[in-house]
Amino acid sequence: MVRTMVTAGVLAALLLGPGPASAQAPDYPQHFRVYTGTGEPASLADIIKALSGMDVVLIGEAHTDPIGHYVEAELVRGALAAVRPEGNTASARPMALSLEMFERDVQQVVDEYLQGLITEAQFRADARPWEYYQTDYHPMVELAKSAGIPVIAANAPRRYVNRVSRLGRDALNQLPEAARAYLPPLPWPQPSEAYRQAWTSLMASMPMTPQCTPPGGPAAPAAPDSQAAPPRQMPPAATRPSHMASFMENGLQAQSLWDASLANAVTTFLAKHP
């Protein structure tokens, strides 16, 4: 039997607009629109119908967008209803929910909560969910818990991504085998040229702002709007000092580690549950 997987927050791209269940925010449906790939008006029901032939569905999001998380929860709710007509679980198509917001070293904590072995308060204390968990991701996790479907903690532990951003991708080779269990097989694939160009373009367009004045330090005088200096831009690659080039490359490798971990978590689950 083909397995359906709804993966939330993998692409880190804007969906449509994470948040409370519809009963708590009845006006959310008024704040987004759905279109087909050719620009024709559509609906969430159309998306859910299109999911029926898919093995894996990636849902991009802006992490601080409450409407986008509402849409995600409604897609999970609709997919569950579609694979379990009239609540019939005996003939239901298997389904799982993969979340970027949980790191792979807390999978046991997630499983224990879904099985009712620990309280929600203990789950939230030990699983290290993101800041807006209660309003943005809680509805999806509770839907999965009620339906008895797995929730996959898909992200690489932040401490290892940080190590790559500081020291480069080869720094992970020094980790013990137990730590590597939370990562994709090393070495993970190098970013494609298109991926690299997109990253470079994004970083080049990001403004570089001065560091904030430390608490208690002297405040810089405010310049009139007409005299305000424009934000500095990242210098072209050819003129960047060597330490900045290393910083950029390590940042790219850290980002690709995140993406490789999310993909590996999904494909590993599919391989274990064909």
Side-chain angles (χ1 to χ4, degrees), residues 1-7 10 55-58 84 93-99 104 107-108 110-111 114-115 144 147-155 181 183-185 260-274:
M1 183 178 294
V2 180
R3 179 170 297 270
T4 298
M5 183 173 299
V6 179
T7 302
V10 167
D55 293 334
V56 178
V57 177
L58 306 180
R84 299 184 176 187
R93 185 183 183 194
M95 177 173 160
L97 172 67
S98 175
L99 289 173
R104 295 174 76 169
Q107 183 67 65
Q108 181 176 339
V110 174
D111 293 344
L114 296 178
Q115 296 164 18
I149 68 170
V151 173
I152 303 167
N155 217 343
L183 298 169
S261 297
L262 297 170
N264 178 253
V266 171
T267 56
T268 297
F269 186 91
L270 284 170
K272 290 182 178 179
H273 305 87

Side-chain angles (χ1 to χ4, degrees), residues 169 189-204 240 245-246 248-253 255-256:
R169 61 184 286 140
Q190 286 280 0
S192 68
E193 186 57 34
Y195 190 112
R196 181 178 294 275
Q197 290 179 4
W199 167 264
T200 301
S201 176
L202 174 66
M203 295 302 292
R240 292 176 198 152
S246 176
M248 290 284 289
E249 179 63 25
N250 290 352
L252 169 63
Q253 296 294 341
Q255 181 65 42
S256 71

